[in-house]
Amino acid sequence: MKKMIGIVGTNSDNSTNRELLKFMARHFKDVAEIEVVEIKEIPLFNKPESKEVPPLIKELAQKIEASDGVIISTPEYDHAVPASLMNALNWLSYHIYPFVDKPVMITGASYGTLGSSRAQQHLRQTLDSPELKARIMPSSEFLLSHSLQAFDDEGNLKDQIQIKKLEGLFSDFVLFSEMVKTFNQTHLLNKKEAENFSWENL
């Protein structure tokens, strides 16, 4: 049984991205254990001189490192991911590096027609940064548009075509996470590069 972490990419109390991850946790329970985690309580990143990372961030980093893969579901604000998600990623690349070579699947739900497509592209670029170095599943997008109308009263997706697409993408992600395990020849080097990287030295 795969163990996955599903990160709700917003601090909103009423997010359809949270609903999407909860649906995935239920729908794929026979394939993977998906723990849905929140970023609502993460403090504002302030680059402390002590280089001390808050316990909440350390706990999340440990969960990411122990997982077989991470699913991030993001809304789109002004063609980008929410500030709260960027804040979380800032902490998760500050003297801790849980995302290095970690398989990541990106999903997104939005109230409009585009399904967070630009935010997903923004997130891909961020996760590919020198301090994060995640392994993002290529050529895949799950874009849930009109998300306020997408779920029934039990929190299940109503559109069978969308469900089939999500099933296919998640099946691919399980295979992708297995493949990434074989890409371990440079893991220690990648982690060391992330640790040593500094924009000030460029």
Side-chain angles (χ1 to χ4, degrees), residues 27 32 49 74 80 94 109 111 133 136 152 157 169 179 196-197:
H27 195 71
E49 291 184 8
T74 180
Y94 185 69
Y111 298 167
K133 286 183 175 289
I136 310 109
D152 63 21
L157 282 176
L169 288 173
M179 290 174 58
N196 294 334
F197 183 83

Side-chain angles (χ1 to χ4, degrees), residues 4-202:
M4 306 278 188
I5 297 296
I7 298 177
V8 181
T10 175
N11 58 2
S12 171
D13 290 330
N14 300 300
S15 171
T16 51
N17 283 280
R18 182 180 296 107
E19 291 302 309
L20 176 57
L21 288 174
K22 287 183 176 180
F23 169 74
M24 292 178 69
R26 295 192 304 272
H27 195 71
F28 299 118
K29 66 181 187 301
D30 294 334
V31 179
E33 178 186 329
I34 301 174
E35 180 184 356
V36 178
V37 299
E38 301 283 351
I39 61 173
K40 291 192 294 182
E41 303 301 325
I42 292 179
L44 188 65
F45 180 68
N46 59 357
K47 200 175 183 180
E49 291 184 8
S50 66
K51 299 180 181 179
E52 184 64 27
V53 178
L56 183 64
I57 309 300
K58 290 180 180 178
E59 181 182 350
L60 178 54
Q62 289 169 356
K63 288 182 177 183
I64 292 170
E65 287 189 330
S67 72
D68 294 300
V70 177
I71 307 160
I72 303 177
S73 194
T74 180
E76 181 172 314
Y77 299 165
D78 300 327
H79 292 185
V81 301
S84 55
L85 179 54
M86 290 301 298
N87 181 62
L89 294 175
N90 286 337
W91 276 118
L92 290 166
S93 57
Y94 185 69
H95 300 288
I96 52 173
Y97 306 95
F99 274 106
V100 172
D101 293 325
K102 182 62 60 175
V104 176
M105 175 182 179
I106 299 173
T107 66
S110 73
Y111 298 167
T113 59
L114 297 179
S116 80
S117 60
R118 293 182 180 91
Q120 290 195 33
Q121 183 60 36
H122 179 211
L123 183 55
R124 283 178 179 275
Q125 293 173 338
T126 301
L127 290 169
D128 198 36
S129 67
E131 303 96 325
L132 287 162
K133 286 183 175 289
R135 300 277 189 173
I136 310 109
M137 188 166 74
S139 302
S140 64
E141 286 184 320
F142 185 74
L143 309 171
L144 185 63
S145 60
H146 304 294
S147 57
L148 286 175
Q149 295 81 39
F151 299 94
D152 63 21
D153 293 339
E154 282 74 46
N156 298 313
L157 282 176
K158 294 188 287 188
D159 189 330
Q160 292 301 312
I161 294 176
Q162 289 280 42
I163 292 173
K164 288 295 183 185
K165 182 173 183 180
L166 186 59
E167 288 173 344
L169 288 173
F170 188 75
S171 179
D172 287 347
F173 184 57
V174 170
L175 293 174
F176 178 70
S177 67
E178 285 293 326
M179 290 174 58
V180 168
K181 287 182 180 179
T182 68
F183 302 159
N184 59 4
Q185 301 302 310
T186 59
H187 178 67
L188 292 178
L189 177 61
N190 288 341
K191 197 148 193 175
K192 183 63 68 176
E193 286 180 349
E195 291 171 357
N196 294 334
F197 183 83
S198 172
W199 289 102
E200 297 169 3
N201 295 331
L202 291 180

